[in-house]
Amino acid sequence: MEGTKKRRRYLDYPRQGKRGPRRWLPSWRLWLGCGAFAVACLAGLFAVVYAKVHIPNENAQAGKEATVYYWADGSQMVSVGAVNRQNVTLDKVPEHVQDAVIAAENATFYSDSGVSFTGIGRAVVNMLSGGDTQGGSTITQQYVKNTYLSPDQTATRKMKEFIIALKVNNQKSKREILRGYLNTSWFGRGSNGIQAAAHAYYGIDAKDLNPSQGALLAALLKGAEQYDPGLGKANHERAVARWKWILDRLVATGKMSGEERAEYREFPEPRPVTKPTSQAGQIGYLVDIANKFVKSATGLTDKDLARGGYRIHTTFDKTRTRRLEKAVDDVRAKNIDPKKRPEDTYAEFGAASVRPKDGAIVALYGGADATRHFSNNADTTAVPAGSAFKPFVLAASLQQDAEEFGDQPHPAAVEKRSGDLRGALMRAENAPFVQAGQRLGLDRIRDLALAAGLRKESLAQLEQTFPLGTSAPSAVRLASAYTTFANGGLHAEPYAVSRMTYGGQSVAGFDRGDPQRVLAPEVAQQVTWTLEGVGRRTLGSPGGKPAGRPVAAGVAEPGDRMKSAWFVGSPDAGPLWDAGSHVRAERAPAADKGTGDGDEPTTAIALFRNKPGAPQLLPLNGVGGPGTGLGTALPPQVWTAYQGTS
């Protein structure tokens, strides 16, 4: 009807009286209304969640149970923990230590609401992008995580942490929260809480810490595995930088005068790292390797593991580990005598055995005693491989031949260059390998070594001497790489833990992929055939006796820069390839099978001299006396003893 006013809609969308694109553009009122509605919904949802989430009983899930490690046969290896913590009241923690912690972790602690909205936002972004949910937590949130929640890194746990932190902040005083945080935080070296940390790092009570020492302990809260200065040069540099930053922050926040800051110019070096007596002998080294694998597979940290409650099933064979330790000890007792020969001082052995068919680390030797010699010799990347690296050069050459000619007869030139390398490996000559590096390209050799299992960070620069073994792989990684030859060209990544549980539930991250093809089977067999000759030559020398069964071996020669001696042995490899006629022997396996049953491990053994704190290895000249060939005869002796020890 004319003159009748149009009825106004409650929701004016599409918009009346507008034409074209403007009809579909929401008005500011609509934007405001929808925004207000969304905020109201979120507030309502938050109120419901806030009401439903209750503060758990303190320490109900704080992880006071020890973590237990098991041998491969299921028997218990060691129990680590329970939690090393001695609670102290806040009056037993100096004000300057409290100030350092607040300056380092949460400068607005005394004025904030107990939560960090930017930290939560960052956690959500990380979660959506596939990262973890850590980052940006306040002291209150960290206290809640330490005291009430499990260590899993999920969005649900992060939301619980947020809600409980708000409630805790409303129900507890800031000093109560700070006391709880200082008593539950992980400082590394097995210490939970400021009192245990003061003893672990300085051998004193928390009340006796000076501002400089307190600043270092505060630095450790960022991650003890990265900032404990006793865990290597890189850690030490990070610790010094953060210690300085915290002291400067105290000045900036008015908690320390410039004059007092000037008193603390010398870094407060903590006492040396020690291990509990339960980890004496090889146990501490086994735990070290297992923990590294767990952290890599699951994303857990040392702090998480220190909470306890885990059941970690390792691949370590109890009998083999003890046999390897006895073999090293026997050879050391017979040949190494620092009182008789000063050259024997600082002599160290490292060794590892890896199963070819699946990569399981079944045994290792990390040093004389984990409670006295803290670095793990089985996992160090400071010992040049020398001639033990040359088989990878030979393999790269043979692999190139296989790719170019397949099963076709090889030209005489190809036969000559491959034959030269095989002969040069047998005769311990260097020049043919330098020439092979120039012909093949150093990147091809590097890529094959990486595919076989060596780590990029352990490889040397691609210089002319690269094929001669200037790289420094660990014993674990060198043994693993040699399994590629013993396993018919297939390589399985090494691993130390088969499964793990927490609270009776399996922890994800331990599924294993199939071994990967690295070399053609005939290439692996030709390398193995050559190594058998090297092994027989080496074990038939004055340094050892033949093992009575086939062996594929890589050795370091006396001319290898005189800084290391290696032997890599793999029993029952068998001469499965006639390198002269390129015809398979009757016992040759199928194309995708290994050269043996894969159960007999490949073992890498290293000898070197390492003075603690020295930047370079010491020379092996004179080690073990005049009949040891600069010590190169000793690793083969260890291998022979290891194979023959009952």
Side-chain angles (χ1 to χ4, degrees):
M1 181 181 296
E2 188 175 344
T4 301
K5 191 174 183 180
K6 286 187 178 181
R7 189 174 180 182
R8 188 172 185 177
R9 293 184 296 174
Y10 178 75
L11 181 63
D12 185 22
Y13 192 82
R15 296 169 66 186
Q16 295 183 12
K18 304 293 183 183
R19 297 186 181 278
R22 293 185 62 195
R23 176 174 171 79
W24 302 98
L25 291 175
S27 67
W28 67 269
R29 293 184 182 89
L30 187 57
W31 278 114
L32 183 61
C34 290
F37 179 74
V39 170
C41 289
L42 288 174
L45 178 62
F46 182 81
V48 172
V49 174
Y50 187 89
K52 290 198 171 202
V53 174
H54 300 286
I55 300 177
N57 292 328
E58 188 168 334
N59 290 324
Q61 299 183 56
K64 288 188 174 180
E65 190 178 3
T67 287
V68 181
Y69 297 78
Y70 298 91
W71 294 102
D73 63 6
S75 60
Q76 181 172 317
M77 181 169 68
V78 66
S79 175
V80 178
V83 172
N84 175 21
R85 177 187 293 123
Q86 300 93 46
N87 291 333
V88 293
T89 55
L90 207 56
D91 64 320
K92 296 295 192 295
V93 182
E95 287 286 343
H96 54 252
V97 176
Q98 300 176 38
D99 293 338
V101 168
I102 292 171
E105 294 293 300
N106 182 191
T108 62
F109 170 68
Y110 278 111
S111 60
D112 63 33
S113 61
V115 297
S116 168
F117 289 95
T118 57
I120 287 292
R122 189 180 304 114
V124 172
V125 170
N126 287 343
M127 178 193 69
L128 294 176
S129 62
D132 61 38
T133 58
Q134 294 178 327
S137 295
T138 65
I139 282 177
T140 305
Q141 286 175 265
Q142 293 180 62
Y143 164 62
V144 166
K145 182 171 62 177
N146 294 344
T147 307
Y148 302 111
L149 300 174
S150 65
D152 60 298
Q153 303 295 336
T154 63
T156 300
R157 199 231 67 203
K158 195 71 179 176
M159 181 54 67
K160 285 183 178 179
E161 173 193 306
F162 186 84
I163 299 296
I164 295 172
L166 284 174
K167 291 192 171 187
V168 166
N169 193 71
N170 291 333
Q171 296 180 18
K172 292 179 179 283
S173 70
K174 288 290 188 178
R175 288 185 63 80
E176 287 179 301
I177 294 171
L178 182 59
R179 176 192 62 80
Y181 174 67
L182 289 172
N183 281 323
T184 59
S185 290
W186 168 248
F187 288 87
R189 301 196 182 186
S191 56
N192 288 268
I194 190 69
Q195 176 74 353
H199 278 277
Y201 287 86
Y202 293 109
I204 59 177
D205 287 333
K207 65 181 178 60
D208 298 321
L209 290 167
N210 65 38
S212 182
Q213 294 167 333
L216 174 61
L217 295 188
L220 297 169
L221 293 168
K222 190 172 178 66
E225 58 266 37
Q226 297 293 318
Y227 289 89
D228 182 343
L231 297 180
K233 181 180 179 181
N235 269 38
H236 196 278
E237 291 174 352
R238 282 190 290 266
V240 171
R242 188 156 178 83
W243 165 77
K244 289 180 178 177
W245 178 83
I246 291 173
L247 289 174
D248 292 340
R249 282 280 294 166
L250 288 171
V251 175
T253 56
K255 298 297 183 180
M256 179 183 286
S257 67
E259 292 76 12
E260 185 179 6
R261 169 66 180 90
E263 296 177 14
Y264 304 111
R265 297 297 179 188
E266 184 176 347
F267 183 70
E269 296 287 353
R271 64 202 309 185
V273 178
T274 60
K275 288 185 179 292
T277 55
S278 63
Q279 296 186 43
Q282 298 306 303
I283 299 300
Y285 305 123
L286 298 174
V287 169
D288 173 63
I289 292 287
N291 284 349
K292 286 179 179 176
F293 183 79
V294 165
K295 289 184 286 186
S296 174
T298 66
L300 292 171
T301 66
D302 286 330
K303 176 180 178 180
D304 297 326
L305 291 173
R307 295 171 69 109
Y310 294 98
R311 300 291 179 266
I312 299 175
H313 296 262
T314 75
T315 60
F316 304 129
D317 184 295
K318 184 193 310 181
T319 301
R320 287 188 183 276
T321 297
R322 291 173 178 171
R323 280 170 48 189
L324 182 56
E325 182 178 23
K326 184 178 188 302
V328 174
D329 289 347
D330 288 350
V331 171
R332 174 183 284 278
K334 180 181 177 181
N335 296 280
I336 304 297
D337 187 353
K339 294 180 179 179
K340 180 179 179 181
R341 285 181 299 273
E343 296 88 346
D344 289 356
T345 307
Y346 305 121
E348 294 287 345
F349 287 89
S353 293
V354 178
R355 193 163 57 208
K357 70 177 182 181
D358 63 352
I361 304 171
V362 298
L364 60 83
Y365 180 89
D369 188 329
T371 63
R372 292 183 284 109
H373 176 77
F374 307 120
S375 60
N376 192 336
N377 293 346
D379 198 40
T380 184
T381 54
V383 186
S387 291
F389 185 82
K390 291 178 182 177
F392 301 107
V393 184
L394 173 60
S397 179
L398 293 170
Q399 183 74 5
Q400 184 183 65
D401 294 348
E403 292 171 358
E404 290 181 4
F405 299 100
D407 293 331
Q408 300 300 316
H410 293 191
V414 173
E415 293 288 351
K416 183 177 185 302
R417 72 192 187 195
S418 297
D420 280 351
L421 282 182
R422 286 194 292 266
L425 188 60
M426 293 283 290
R427 296 187 298 271
E429 295 175 350
N430 286 336
F433 287 91
V434 174
Q435 296 164 5
Q438 296 170 346
R439 172 172 55 84
L440 295 168
L442 299 178
D443 54 345
R444 184 183 183 100
I445 299 170
R446 176 202 61 201
D447 292 347
L448 187 144
L450 290 173
L454 300 189
R455 301 296 290 270
K456 184 176 181 180
E457 59 268 23
S458 72
L459 296 185
Q461 294 184 352
L462 297 184
E463 300 173 339
Q464 184 178 8
T465 55
F466 180 76
L468 303 182
T470 52
S471 299
S474 68
V476 169
R477 282 288 167 174
L478 191 57
S480 172
Y482 265 69
T483 65
T484 306
F485 307 135
N487 203 32
L490 295 172
H491 178 259
E493 272 293 291
Y495 71 107
V497 176
S498 57
R499 62 189 179 92
M500 176 176 170
T501 62
Y502 180 80
Q505 301 296 315
S506 293
V507 177
F510 296 95
D511 294 334
R512 298 194 52 74
D514 294 330
Q516 298 298 303
R517 170 66 60 194
V518 175
L519 297 171
E522 59 269 22
V523 170
Q525 290 158 12
Q526 289 183 69
V527 175
T528 296
W529 178 86
T530 305
L531 291 176
E532 286 166 8
V534 176
R536 290 192 179 98
R537 172 175 63 84
T538 303
L539 295 175
S541 70
K545 297 179 181 179
R549 48 183 171 175
V551 57
V555 301
E557 302 294 341
D560 287 339
R561 301 167 68 97
M562 299 181 292
K563 293 293 183 69
S564 62
W566 284 91
F567 184 87
V568 189
S570 181
D572 293 334
L576 299 177
W577 185 267
D578 184 337
S581 62
H582 298 283
V583 177
R584 289 185 184 276
E586 291 183 1
R587 295 190 297 113
D592 286 328
K593 300 296 183 181
T595 57
D597 61 12
D599 285 328
E600 285 294 324
T602 296
T603 303
I605 303 159
L607 170 67
F608 56 97
R609 293 180 68 214
N610 181 30
K611 181 179 180 180
Q616 302 291 334
L617 298 181
L618 300 176
L620 291 177
N621 305 60
V623 171
T628 66
L630 301 180
T632 57
L634 300 184
Q637 287 186 33
V638 172
W639 193 83
T640 301
Y642 178 38
Q643 298 304 306
T645 303
S646 58

